[in-house]
Amino acid sequence: MSRPLKLTPMLEQYFEIKRQVPDAIVFYRLGDFYEMFFEDAERAAPILDLVLTARGKGGDSETPMCGVPYHAADQYIAKLVRSGLSVALCDQIGEASATKGLVNREISRVITPGTAVEATLLERESRYLMAFAEQNGASGAAFLDVSTGDFFVTSYRGEDDPRLADDLARFSPREAIFPRESSEGFSRVIAAHGLAASRGDEALFDPRLTFELLTRHFGTATLRGFGLEQNDARVAAAGAALRYATSSHKRELSHVSRLRVDSDDDCLILDASTLENLEIFDSRDSSRPRASLWNVINATRTAMGGRMLRKWLCRPLRAMDAIFDRHDAIEELIANPPRQETLASTLSSIADLERLTSRIALRTAGPRECIALAQSLENVASLKGMLAEFRGPLLAALEGRIASLKSVSAKITDTIEVSPPNSARDGDVIRKGIDAELDELRAIARDAKSILLRIEDDERARTGIPSLKIRFNSVFGYYIEISKSNLGKVPAEYIRKQTLVNAERFITPELKELEEKIVGAEDKSKAIEIRIYDELLAAIADGSGEILSTAAAIGELDALVSLATVAMRNRYVRPVLSPHVEVMIEDGRHPVIESISPERFIPNSSEIRREVNGIQIITGPNMGGKSTYLRQVALIVLLNQVGSFVPASGARLGVFDRIFTRVGAADHLARGESTFMVEMHETANILNNATERSLIVLDEVGRGTATFDGLSLAWAIVEFLHDAPSRGAITLFATHYHELTDLAKTKERVTNLNVAVREWNDQIIFLRRVVPGAADKSYGIQVAKLAGIPGDVIERAREILATLERHERDIIEETRRTGKNQKPPDPQLSLFGGRDQEVLRSLRELPIDELSPLEALNMLHEMKRKLTE
């Protein structure tokens, strides 16, 4: 950072503070403003729409600067953090009046994208900080949500491990930290996902220091109880995350009381491509942002429930008993509509307990937030009573996990006024009767103010100056203000303190004595209030573990009530769980399309048994419904393992370990990957990782390259999935390669389906029904006609198609006979020549009935000559 040649004491202090946080924007407190200087000001000004000014303009000490009002700083900080920047708050330490010279300042808080707990920055979703570490050839990561206390670790095979990209998609961290000397590969992955990133010193990730930090924080001798050893890369990552967040908040994170090892062993794995292709959380259509599964099934009433349901959706269950228990709970809720409505209504009155508790533990919660916590805990007690009426195992277990926290609620309401100010520093927060000294000081301040009013009235009467006023400011304290026109009436004992344009200010010994009494009482009473309030926060924080475990149980209950509400609203049914690898759906529906489409959704049934017809080749026209059918089956399987009811008339479903999808066309040009390379990478991931209990959805694989290359690949992929026992997953393969349907003749588990259409007057009618058998053609030209392609183009396309199909039949037959790919013959290229079109046009216009045999022979000879020249 460049410096002016000559530094003032204030700037010396500023640079000393800036050295501590070189990467953050320093908000330096000056009076009622936070000021930014030099490069910080130049970076922040355009983001905050501020005018950049300067101190000492034109000289060697010119200082670029900008500032924001202290009382409105939150909104400016939020803008910077959302832009991926960190903000360091530099505040005054102690009172300016008690300090000679420059007031001491220090950093009170560093607000980063991954450690923010401020209400202006938080959405309902989790807000994770991710730390990444490499050790002994292994890679580990930690995810910490400071705002809720959620903390877990996982491991990767390296920065190229597909699970890393999957976790970034599933958990959406806001910030990543990693060692300064770590590989560039991880940095590129982070940059590709648009995360704020910081390279930390190696000491932040030191194995010994991180181990000591974690054991001290959790009060354990080792980390074996968490399933971790000292030299584990995950320990280095977890310790770095905890230390970074602790440093940011300048306080121990006492509410972070658990550390868990995240594992995919007990959940249905959804990779990043599947989350995107199935539009689980986000719609791929920017014109319909709510067209996602999340928006359909999210009817949660609390922030905890929303976060819990989101976790369920990206990490569905694999254990059949756990799925059954959720189904059971939903069924019980649906069977008791009045109770369900009462639960939902009560949940709506419960605030975000996790984040309130975290803010209390970090001592950033205001008095109004404490009152919100108390009121919510009162409603939690009511909720616990309602749950006692249910008999199902899961709902009964949740009732047992919800603690009776009336004592916490009572302590808050007994201590804090019903309608307190935002900050304890504003005073009038603590109830009367809590502290005798506080009550006495308040009485002094109150009585003194009434005395001030009496003095003002007496002085007006004594001096004959009706406009005389007693006022206060921080410089002079209490003073008497008299207008210039009344200065002749001022008594001799008044002591002049200041002359203004239109008035003068005076003090009296009596007024100064009263001022000392009032100001002293107010300062002492505020100090006592802050002490009592801090003690209250500490007492609540001591029981934060119980509040957070209760919040987690309420989140699960809210997620279940949400699924029950959606099931009733959308006519979902309870699926039967099957031990076999099968998908048996009666009149299944696509949950998103049926909710947003103005037309009646046409359901389709599915009967898929892995050992019988586990690979389905689905053909038919574009817009006919192939992709909808594929996604519909995948979403129904997913919803079942979330524990939800499903959109169908009936269903019997096996339990799957993974859902793979390869859908659509996309490229990763920044990584040097074409559309076809992306397609092959995703397909390779499927073929290398699918198991016999996976569900695979393939939509138009092979279309990104030349026709015969693509067809050959598609054919080989189907054969591989059929013939490799360990990869024999249930597979739905939508394609326009009609040749693939011939595989059903030689591969016993391959079956053909098509989406039905009807032709009428050279038009096609989409029936949206999936029926057995192969489609006879793709109807692409008819679809192009519906789209408004000019008639000449449509007609020419039909001519070309007829020729290509004739050649293709010959080539495919030769390929089957010889076992080698055949190249299209050269004459195929002549279809697109201008001379060919001229001859075809002449032939089309030829009046055959009017020609003599000799004329016809001459015309034929002329056409041949044109074609051969």
Side-chain angles (χ1 to χ4, degrees):
M1 176 179 289
S2 60
R3 295 182 176 210
L5 295 178
K6 185 177 180 181
L7 293 180
T8 64
M10 185 206 75
L11 286 179
E12 285 281 7
Q13 184 185 71
Y14 169 81
F15 278 110
E16 179 61 35
I17 289 165
K18 180 64 182 175
R19 274 194 290 271
Q20 301 171 33
V21 284
D23 297 327
I25 302 291
V26 174
F27 271 37
Y28 184 88
R29 180 75 182 272
L30 280 177
D32 291 333
F33 280 80
Y34 276 127
E35 299 289 355
M36 291 157 275
F37 301 106
F38 302 104
E39 285 90 340
D40 283 0
E42 291 167 349
R43 291 169 69 195
I47 297 172
L48 302 178
D49 295 324
L50 298 176
V51 176
L52 197 63
T53 59
R55 294 166 66 103
K57 286 186 177 180
D60 292 336
S61 60
E62 181 170 308
T63 305
M65 64 180 293
C66 61
V68 300
Y70 167 77
H71 68 276
D74 286 353
Q75 59 182 308
Y76 294 100
I77 293 169
K79 274 189 178 181
L80 292 172
V81 174
R82 289 195 183 103
S83 298
L85 300 174
S86 298
V87 176
L89 300 182
C90 177
D91 288 305
Q92 295 177 180
I93 305 302
E95 293 294 329
S97 58
T99 305
K100 291 183 178 180
L102 186 66
V103 179
N104 289 328
R105 292 176 176 82
E106 66 181 38
I107 297 171
S108 59
R109 169 90 166 87
V110 181
I111 305 170
T112 77
T115 63
V117 297
E118 287 71 17
T120 51
L121 280 164
L122 296 178
E123 304 86 14
R124 289 168 70 93
E125 293 82 13
S126 299
R127 191 179 191 91
Y128 287 110
L129 165 72
M130 179 190 187
F132 180 82
E134 296 170 304
Q135 194 168 319
N136 300 324
S139 300
F143 292 81
L144 171 61
D145 185 347
V146 181
S147 73
T148 65
D150 191 22
F151 193 19
F152 64 90
V153 294
T154 190
S155 58
Y156 305 113
R157 295 192 300 270
E159 68 266 10
D160 293 329
D161 189 337
R163 283 193 60 252
L164 174 57
D166 296 342
D167 282 349
L168 292 174
R170 285 187 290 195
F171 304 123
S172 300
R174 306 306 176 89
E175 181 180 7
I177 57 173
F178 47 96
R180 203 173 299 280
E181 301 302 320
S182 63
S183 65
E184 289 298 322
F186 179 75
S187 180
R188 285 194 297 271
V189 172
I190 292 300
H193 284 78
L195 294 184
S198 301
R199 288 185 179 270
D201 292 335
E202 294 299 316
L204 185 66
F205 299 84
D206 181 88
R208 182 181 61 82
L209 296 177
T210 52
F211 177 80
E212 291 175 357
L213 173 67
L214 291 170
T215 52
R216 185 171 64 250
H217 179 85
F218 293 113
T220 60
T222 72
L223 297 176
R224 289 175 188 160
F226 300 108
L228 298 167
E229 296 291 342
Q230 178 171 353
N231 292 321
D232 194 317
R234 294 172 295 181
V235 170
L242 187 63
R243 179 177 292 160
Y244 183 83
T246 300
S247 175
S248 165
H249 285 274
K250 307 296 181 182
R251 182 179 292 276
E252 295 296 319
L253 309 183
S254 61
H255 64 293
V256 180
S257 56
R258 292 178 62 242
L259 175 63
R260 57 188 169 85
V261 175
D262 186 64
S263 171
D264 288 337
D265 294 341
D266 57 352
C267 71
L268 168 67
I269 301 172
L270 305 171
D271 59 27
S273 295
T274 298
L275 290 172
E276 180 182 2
N277 292 332
L278 294 182
E279 299 176 291
I280 304 299
F281 295 114
D282 299 298
S283 171
R284 301 176 79 176
D285 184 350
S286 59
S287 66
R288 298 192 299 183
R290 295 188 60 80
S292 68
L293 184 64
W294 168 248
N295 281 303
V296 171
I297 69 166
N298 178 26
T300 54
R301 271 74 171 185
T302 70
M304 295 91 71
R307 289 191 291 271
M308 186 63 69
L309 184 58
R310 198 175 182 93
K311 289 176 184 176
W312 288 3
L313 199 52
C314 67
R315 297 181 69 78
L317 297 168
R318 197 187 301 180
M320 192 174 289
D321 289 346
I323 299 170
F324 185 90
D325 284 347
R326 285 187 190 171
H327 287 165
D328 237 19
I330 293 170
E331 187 169 65
E332 189 174 8
L333 288 166
I334 290 174
N336 295 278
R339 290 183 188 174
Q340 181 190 335
E341 282 299 318
T342 306
L343 282 174
S345 176
T346 305
L347 285 165
S348 298
S349 61
I350 297 175
D352 192 340
L353 300 182
E354 290 176 328
R355 284 180 169 161
L356 285 175
T357 304
S358 298
R359 285 173 60 77
I360 286 171
L362 294 168
R363 307 299 194 270
T364 59
R368 291 180 185 175
E369 290 175 301
C370 288
I371 291 296
L373 176 63
Q375 293 170 345
S376 294
L377 294 181
E378 290 287 342
N379 293 322
V380 167
S382 301
L383 198 68
K384 183 176 175 66
M386 295 172 199
L387 276 177
E389 301 175 4
F390 292 90
R391 296 289 177 264
L394 182 51
L395 293 177
L398 290 176
E399 188 273 336
R401 288 169 51 197
I402 295 176
S404 177
L405 296 163
K406 286 186 175 181
S407 60
V408 178
S409 175
K411 186 171 184 63
I412 294 171
T413 53
D414 288 347
T415 305
I416 298 178
E417 293 284 357
V418 176
S419 300
N422 279 324
S423 171
R425 298 186 178 278
D426 294 336
D428 294 327
V429 170
I430 306 301
R431 280 181 176 271
K432 183 179 179 181
I434 299 297
D435 185 279
E437 184 182 3
L438 175 62
D439 293 343
E440 182 182 354
L441 290 169
R442 282 174 170 171
I444 292 172
R446 184 175 59 251
D447 293 345
K449 287 177 181 177
S450 64
I451 294 171
L452 276 172
L453 292 173
R454 192 189 71 234
I455 292 174
E456 187 178 70
D457 289 339
D458 290 347
E459 290 302 302
R460 285 175 179 173
R462 184 168 75 89
T463 61
I465 305 173
S467 62
L468 180 150
K469 293 183 179 68
I470 296 179
R471 291 179 172 172
F472 177 86
N473 69 26
S474 57
V475 178
F476 300 121
Y478 288 102
Y479 59 86
I480 298 170
E481 185 170 291
I482 297 175
S483 61
K484 287 273 178 88
S485 59
N486 289 298
L487 290 180
K489 300 178 181 180
V490 172
E493 65 269 21
Y494 277 22
I495 303 169
R496 181 179 283 103
K497 289 297 294 181
Q498 187 180 27
T499 299
L500 304 177
V501 175
N502 298 314
E504 291 198 13
R505 294 172 176 175
F506 302 85
I507 59 171
T508 67
E510 180 188 16
L511 199 57
K512 294 308 291 181
E513 181 181 344
L514 184 61
E515 175 190 316
E516 290 176 7
K517 187 182 293 186
I518 295 172
V519 173
E522 288 180 343
D523 289 345
K524 288 179 182 177
S525 64
K526 284 184 179 180
I528 292 172
E529 286 205 59
I530 290 170
R531 174 180 58 78
I532 295 172
Y533 184 71
D534 287 344
E535 290 171 354
L536 174 65
L537 294 185
I540 299 171
D542 286 343
S544 62
E546 199 171 30
I547 300 174
L548 289 173
S549 61
T550 294
I554 290 171
E556 289 186 42
L557 174 63
D558 191 14
L560 289 169
V561 172
S562 174
L563 293 177
T565 301
V566 172
M568 293 177 65
R569 179 192 301 159
N570 297 343
R571 299 175 293 107
Y572 290 3
V573 299
R574 178 175 184 170
V576 176
L577 298 179
S578 170
H580 307 294
V581 186
E582 61 180 352
V583 176
M584 310 295 285
I585 302 170
E586 180 183 350
D587 292 332
R589 311 185 307 275
H590 192 295
V592 180
I593 293 178
E594 76 164 352
S595 70
I596 64 173
S597 175
E599 301 176 3
R600 184 180 71 86
F601 187 88
I602 298 173
N604 277 293
S605 298
S606 304
E607 294 186 9
I608 315 171
R609 296 181 179 88
R610 177 185 174 275
E611 300 298 335
V612 178
N613 60 345
I615 299 178
Q616 299 195 337
I617 307 296
I618 305 153
T619 51
N622 289 311
M623 296 176 57
K626 299 192 303 297
S627 296
T628 296
Y629 175 75
L630 265 59
R631 290 170 173 82
Q632 171 182 307
V633 171
L635 290 174
I636 288 174
V637 167
L638 169 61
L639 284 173
N640 172 56
Q641 292 187 224
V642 167
S644 171
F645 284 15
V646 299
S649 299
R652 185 173 76 251
L653 302 167
V655 177
F656 293 82
D657 61 0
R658 294 194 67 150
I659 297 178
F660 292 99
T661 62
R662 161 85 281 279
V663 173
D667 55 40
H668 292 158
L669 296 181
R671 299 207 298 257
E673 297 179 2
S674 66
T675 299
F676 184 62
M677 179 59 80
V678 171
E679 180 180 339
M680 289 299 99
H681 272 161
E682 294 182 1
T683 305
N685 178 48
I686 294 171
L687 298 182
N688 289 322
N689 293 292
T691 74
E692 60 182 15
R693 277 204 167 268
S694 299
L695 172 65
I696 300 174
V697 171
L698 301 175
D699 197 351
E700 302 296 350
V701 169
R703 302 297 287 189
T705 187
T707 301
F708 293 99
D709 286 346
L711 172 58
S712 302
L713 281 166
W715 189 291
I717 288 166
V718 175
E719 285 186 340
F720 178 83
L721 291 170
H722 183 278
D723 298 341
S726 62
R727 304 286 186 258
I730 284 183
T731 303
L732 306 180
F733 195 146
T735 184
H736 283 289
Y737 292 135
H738 288 199
E739 296 79 8
L740 294 182
T741 60
D742 286 349
L743 282 163
K745 300 173 183 177
T746 58
K747 302 295 181 182
E748 61 181 10
R749 293 199 305 115
V750 176
T751 188
N752 292 321
L753 298 175
N754 73 93
V755 287
V757 298
R758 291 287 183 268
E759 288 189 81
W760 182 75
N761 284 348
D762 201 28
Q763 300 288 329
I764 56 171
I765 301 171
F766 300 109
L767 301 182
R768 314 291 185 193
R769 302 290 299 187
V770 177
V771 297
D776 56 350
K777 54 184 176 181
S778 291
Y779 298 95
I781 294 175
Q782 287 88 336
V783 172
K785 184 177 180 181
L786 287 175
I789 296 295
D792 288 349
V793 176
I794 296 296
E795 187 61 32
R796 177 66 179 143
R798 285 196 174 113
E799 294 169 359
I800 295 171
L801 177 63
T803 303
L804 288 176
E805 286 178 337
R806 183 174 66 252
H807 284 302
E808 187 175 0
R809 283 194 297 271
D810 294 342
I811 294 165
I812 294 298
E813 185 58 37
E814 184 67 13
T815 299
R816 287 176 184 154
R817 188 178 64 81
T818 64
K820 298 179 180 178
N821 283 348
Q822 304 296 313
K823 291 185 177 180
D826 291 339
Q828 179 177 344
L829 300 177
S830 67
L831 287 167
F832 302 97
R835 185 168 298 168
D836 297 351
Q837 293 188 41
E838 181 184 343
V839 171
L840 283 171
R841 193 180 305 111
S842 299
L843 185 59
R844 194 179 297 118
E845 296 171 355
L846 198 63
I848 296 176
D849 296 337
E850 302 174 9
L851 294 176
S852 67
L854 182 59
E855 289 174 325
L857 185 60
N858 288 335
M859 291 291 290
L860 186 60
H861 178 76
E862 179 62 19
M863 291 179 185
K864 182 179 179 180
R865 183 186 65 78
K866 287 183 177 180
L867 289 172
T868 55
E869 282 183 352

